[in-house]
Amino acid sequence: MNKMLRRAIMVPVCLLVLFSFSCKSTPPAEPEEAAPVTDVETPVAEESKSVDEQLTALRDRAQELEEFGIKYGIHTWKTDEWTSVAAVHETGRTAYGTDYDLAFASFTTAIAGYEKLIDESFAEMAIEMEKRLKEARAAVIAAGGDTYFPNEFAQADASVDQARVARDSGDYAAAYDAAQIALMRYRVLELGMQAYALNQTIVANNFGQYASEEYNRAGTRFDEAASLYGSADPAALDAAVEVVALLTVVKNAGYRVWAEEEVRKADSARILCDSIKAERSMPQEYKTASDQFRSAFEKSSQNEWEPAYFGYRDSAVLFTQVYQEVTLKRNAADLAMQQARNKQEQSRQLALKADEIAPLDENAEGFDPDTEDDPSSGASDLPETEEPVVTQEEIQ
């Protein structure tokens, strides 16, 4: 009895609890339109590839080769081929992180292309470098640098030996680096000999006074070049280039002062030539002097005072020679004309004396009583010019 009563009570209670839970957890459903059923595509496995270590390594290797090639000038040695490989490399960079397969293929192709270009270029450049080294070495010897700087010359030769050893072992990059050092060292020595020659000219002519600041700096930079040689060769080369430039300025300043004096001399000689119309008497020689003067002027306009100085000097000498020769010829012509007048005067005097001794008949042929006593009649046939001009053909 009690069991049946408990069942009867519990069933409604359970139903009540269930109903109560159902009401709290599930709100009344509103009518909705059924969503259309669509097929969901599964992503393709290849497109879901992400960047991995292998792809990154390829990217870094291609970048490394590109930088290496630019450093050693491969991009200018084989311009067209390099441009094509660089385009493939750029495709890989663009596809990196978005298209795995395209990036992978592009980097792989670019790496192979870069390596091929680098190997081929170094082999060709080695031949060219050997030629340049021989020429640079010969230039130093021609300037006397092998004897004036014997220890430094030996250091340059040692770099050449290092380059050849590296090349023969297949290390073209090391060979290139060593050859470049050798070229710099030879160039420093050649510039050193140029500086030596410039300094000799400056000292001999006391040109240092005309650009003392530049001359003092040249000495300082020369010492720096000497101390940097063999340990910091690029810096040594820069210093040597500046030394030659500074000494050139000093020498130029000295020749400018000298040239200005020669200009005055040449102008004075030319004015003298024009005063006696020398251009008409000696046209070719006058033209030669004028051309020399004009050439010197052009050099001075370009701030090249050494050739300008010698040009002005030579033109002054040529104008002076023209003036002297024309003057001599004019004097000779004047003397000849005076001698001719003297002879005519002597002839007239003789004629007068003869007439006194044995007078001519007034009706004699050739007798003119109106001119007989005219003292100027003997010279009437001579032309008178205010400024006679003598040509080369007149007095030989």
Side-chain angles (χ1 to χ4, degrees):
M1 178 70 182
N2 291 334
K3 292 181 180 179
M4 292 179 63
L5 182 60
R6 285 196 295 272
R7 284 182 193 158
I9 294 172
M10 290 182 64
V11 170
V13 171
C14 291
L15 292 173
L16 181 63
V17 172
L18 290 172
F19 178 79
S20 176
F21 178 81
S22 173
C23 291
K24 292 180 179 179
S25 61
T26 305
E30 296 181 1
E32 293 180 342
E33 295 183 1
V37 178
T38 58
D39 295 332
V40 179
E41 296 182 359
T42 303
V44 179
E46 286 73 13
E47 294 183 1
S48 64
K49 290 181 182 178
S50 59
V51 171
D52 58 12
E53 293 182 1
Q54 184 179 13
L55 184 62
T56 301
L58 290 173
R59 181 201 63 180
D60 294 345
R61 176 57 178 165
Q63 183 65 28
E64 177 185 353
L65 288 171
E66 181 187 47
E67 294 174 355
F68 181 88
I70 292 174
K71 174 183 177 182
Y72 288 100
I74 309 300
H75 66 304
T76 57
W77 187 265
K78 289 183 175 292
T79 306
D80 294 339
E81 298 91 329
W82 183 272
T83 301
S84 298
V85 175
V88 176
H89 185 192
E90 183 60 29
T91 300
R93 275 194 285 248
T94 303
Y96 182 79
T98 59
D99 191 329
Y100 184 97
D101 288 342
L102 179 58
F104 189 97
S106 298
F107 287 144
T108 302
T109 302
I111 289 170
Y114 281 141
E115 290 176 342
K116 182 174 181 293
L117 287 177
I118 290 171
D119 289 343
E120 291 178 352
S121 297
F122 270 131
E124 295 171 6
M125 291 166 66
I127 299 174
E128 178 65 21
M129 191 64 70
E130 185 73 20
K131 177 183 176 182
R132 291 176 58 190
L133 287 169
K134 289 180 179 179
E135 292 175 349
R137 188 175 190 274
V140 176
I141 294 174
D146 57 327
T147 56
Y148 197 82
F149 301 110
N151 295 332
E152 291 79 4
F153 186 75
Q155 284 181 277
D157 281 349
S159 296
V160 175
D161 294 338
Q162 292 175 4
R164 288 171 179 160
V165 170
R167 182 196 62 193
D168 294 341
S169 66
D171 191 348
Y172 290 113
Y176 183 91
D177 291 338
Q180 287 295 328
I181 291 175
L183 285 174
M184 283 189 285
R185 290 179 178 177
Y186 284 137
R187 182 58 178 157
V188 169
L189 297 180
E190 184 182 3
L191 289 169
M193 294 307 299
Q194 290 180 20
Y196 174 75
L198 285 167
N199 192 56
Q200 281 190 313
T201 300
I202 292 169
V203 171
N205 299 303
N206 197 25
F207 285 166
Q209 61 180 315
Y210 302 120
S212 58
E213 183 177 346
E214 289 82 356
Y215 191 52
N216 292 334
R217 178 165 175 76
T220 300
R221 291 295 280 161
F222 184 89
D223 293 339
E224 292 176 359
S227 64
L228 293 169
Y229 184 90
S231 59
D233 294 294
L237 179 58
D238 290 340
V241 170
E242 187 177 357
V243 169
V244 171
L246 289 167
L247 292 178
T248 300
V249 169
V250 177
K251 185 186 75 168
N252 208 38
Y255 275 117
R256 178 171 185 168
V257 174
W258 284 13
E260 289 170 352
E261 178 61 27
E262 293 301 323
V263 170
R264 289 189 286 270
K265 292 180 181 179
D267 273 336
S268 298
R270 180 177 56 81
I271 291 172
L272 289 174
C273 287
D274 293 342
S275 69
I276 60 174
K277 298 180 175 60
E279 185 176 6
R280 294 172 57 186
S281 299
M282 299 180 67
Q284 185 56 49
E285 290 78 358
Y286 185 92
K287 181 179 182 302
T288 300
S290 298
D291 290 344
Q292 188 70 266
F293 187 93
R294 190 177 301 108
S295 176
F297 177 77
E298 291 175 357
K299 291 298 182 181
S300 65
S301 300
Q302 299 166 6
N303 199 34
E304 298 179 15
W305 287 101
E306 182 178 3
Y309 160 73
F310 288 109
Y312 284 131
R313 187 195 65 179
D314 292 345
S315 68
V317 171
L318 292 173
F319 276 129
T320 300
Q321 289 175 348
V322 170
Y323 175 76
Q324 291 174 344
E325 290 185 28
V326 173
T327 299
L328 289 174
K329 291 180 179 181
R330 283 173 58 86
N331 292 339
D334 290 342
L335 178 61
M337 293 173 67
Q338 184 60 45
Q339 290 174 344
R341 291 191 184 99
N342 292 338
K343 288 181 180 179
Q344 289 181 336
E345 178 63 20
Q346 291 174 1
S347 297
R348 191 181 72 85
Q349 294 295 333
L350 290 174
L352 290 175
K353 289 182 179 180
D355 187 56
E356 292 176 359
I357 298 172
L360 292 175
D361 186 356
E362 292 183 0
N363 295 324
E365 184 178 355
F367 178 76
D368 186 355
D370 296 332
T371 61
E372 180 183 5
D373 296 331
D374 185 359
S376 64
S377 61
S380 61
D381 294 334
L382 290 175
E384 294 289 342
T385 60
E386 180 180 350
E387 191 68 40
V389 176
V390 183
T391 62
Q392 293 179 348
E393 291 79 8
E394 290 175 329
I395 303 297
Q396 295 292 342

